[in-house]
Amino acid sequence: MYDQFTPLTPQGASAPAPATSPTTPSTTPAPTLSVPTTATAAAQRRSVGPGFVLSAVLASAVLASGGTYLAVSAATGTAPAPVSTPVGNVASTGSLAGSQGSVVDIVKAVSPAVVTIVADGVTSTDPSTGQARQGTATGSGVIFDASGLILTNHHVVEGNPSTLTVNLKDGRSFAATVYGIDTLTDLAIVKVEATGLPTAPIGDSSTIQVGQQAIAIGSPLGEFTDSVTSGIISALGRSIPVDTGEVLTNLIQTDTAINPGNSGGPLFDPSGKVIGINTAGAGGAQGIGFAIPIDIARPLMTQASAGQPLARPYLGIRFETIDPAIQKANSLPVANGAWIPTASAAGSGDVIVAGGPAAQGGLQAGDIITAVDGTTLDTSHPLDMVTSQLAPGASVKLDVLRDGQTTQLTVVLGTRPAAA
């Protein structure tokens, strides 16, 4: 059973009118009917919970670490194949890649690529009242392609904003549009019409070690732009439930201060490379923040730099990553892998989507996927993390343990639907 995490949102608003009480989210994670076990984050998940900040009501619920900071006013509306590094230039402002620079040096090199994103006219829901209202959301982002592509959180730009504005550290402002939304995680890419922009070097989150230094840059509370905080990597592979009942998985935990408004901003390693995108912070706790590993975002960045629509691969199964507790509770023969529950263990709902890629490839309830294209699955390399690096349409070989025998199946990955 998890403690509930409140989603973080955008910034600033006037006092809300009375409304109905919010829905209480589930605090028990449940698998989803797709390879990934998470879905796109809702805007409501990113507020800092009931209360006033500078006379502004935070409209979304605090998810887990940095969220966008949302200012809402009383409104009349109602709630509505392995990839390579992105094509964009690497840090026109200077890079410390390969060295262990001081925090001062890192900030000088990479902060010009960190932006503030302002979404006007967004519709959100006050977590303390459940009332829908409109306002202005403020979050963060990082430029990864000099031609104007910016990585951020989905919840920073959702809510049907009437306008999006990207503000750079050098004082320039650009009108922006949403290039695409991730169907797997709380990620989105924003586009501005500009060239020669400063970019941040992209790192490798698979090399992160617990205890190493981590640096965050963003716009906490929507007004303290270009704020720098530093800490360490506290843990890897974290899963956290949010107030919508969804579960975010494979997250980096850090004690680097991440507040509302930091959402979508970068988390850097000691060499000044982006290793994560800040997405949530634990309410009622200190030093517990979460970021999406940059390796999960990398395929999207590659697609955007190539001018392609954002798409994720899809197996069409419900699975559980095997750990000692799951192995013992279900008397499984192995300690690692992705287990497709049997009907008796799965409860309600199908574990394999009829007609989906997994069904067509011959996967069955009770199967344990132990490897994907030779990559062994374990808690550090779960199925959704491994397959996220592949492209829709890719043909993959799955090592499957079935009734005590190992077999190999070939599955052609589909495109993950938004509602998966």
Side-chain angles (χ1 to χ4, degrees), residues 40-358:
T40 306
Q44 300 95 300
R45 298 187 322 177
R46 294 298 187 281
S47 82
V48 292
F52 292 83
V53 176
L54 302 178
S55 299
V57 176
L58 305 178
S60 302
V62 176
L63 165 55
S65 95
T68 51
Y69 183 64
L70 177 62
V72 293
S73 57
T76 58
T78 57
V83 295
S84 59
T85 302
V87 175
N89 297 330
V90 175
S92 59
T93 53
S95 171
L96 298 174
S99 64
Q100 301 290 308
S102 69
V103 174
V104 172
D105 292 335
I106 290 172
V107 171
K108 287 181 179 179
V110 301
S111 61
V114 181
V115 304
T116 300
I117 300 174
V118 180
D120 288 313
V122 299
T123 300
S124 188
T125 303
D126 188 332
S128 63
T129 65
Q131 181 175 355
R133 47 195 5 94
Q134 289 187 333
T136 298
T138 305
S140 304
V142 60
I143 305 171
F144 66 88
D145 190 304
S147 63
L149 293 171
I150 299 158
L151 185 62
T152 186
N153 283 152
H154 177 208
H155 74 260
V156 170
V157 297
E158 69 180 345
N160 298 314
S162 56
T163 61
L164 279 178
T165 305
V166 169
N167 299 320
L168 274 63
K169 183 179 181 180
D170 62 14
R172 287 182 291 173
S173 294
F174 297 94
T177 56
V178 177
Y179 181 91
I181 299 298
D182 187 13
T183 58
L184 171 62
T185 67
D186 181 30
L187 290 173
I189 291 178
V190 167
K191 169 74 172 172
V192 299
E193 296 302 322
T195 58
L197 296 179
T199 62
I202 304 303
D204 180 358
S205 53
S206 70
T207 64
I208 296 173
Q209 298 185 60
V210 174
Q212 78 175 52
Q213 186 181 35
I215 302 163
I217 304 178
S219 301
L221 302 186
E223 66 171 300
F224 300 109
T225 57
D226 307 311
S227 290
V228 179
T229 55
S230 179
I232 63 170
I233 301 297
S234 303
L236 301 172
R238 292 300 200 199
S239 296
I240 58 172
V242 294
D243 64 354
T244 59
E246 295 172 298
V247 178
L248 301 184
T249 63
N250 306 319
L251 300 179
I252 301 166
Q253 181 184 334
T254 179
D255 70 351
T256 305
I258 298 174
N259 296 288
N262 274 119
S263 280
L267 189 70
F268 294 98
D269 69 9
S271 68
K273 291 183 178 180
V274 180
I275 53 172
I277 297 298
N278 301 318
T279 195
Q286 293 183 345
I288 302 180
F290 299 92
I292 300 169
I294 199 64
D295 286 359
I296 293 179
R298 192 185 307 275
L300 304 179
M301 294 154 54
T302 301
Q303 292 168 359
S305 289
Q308 301 170 350
L310 305 189
R312 288 289 195 182
Y314 178 67
L315 262 179
I317 63 172
R318 192 166 76 187
F319 72 93
E320 294 189 41
T321 299
I322 300 174
D323 59 20
I326 290 176
Q327 181 188 19
K328 181 179 180 180
N330 298 281
S331 301
L332 301 179
V334 291
N336 293 300
W339 174 52
I340 304 175
T342 58
S344 59
S348 62
D350 295 330
V351 294
I352 299 180
V353 176

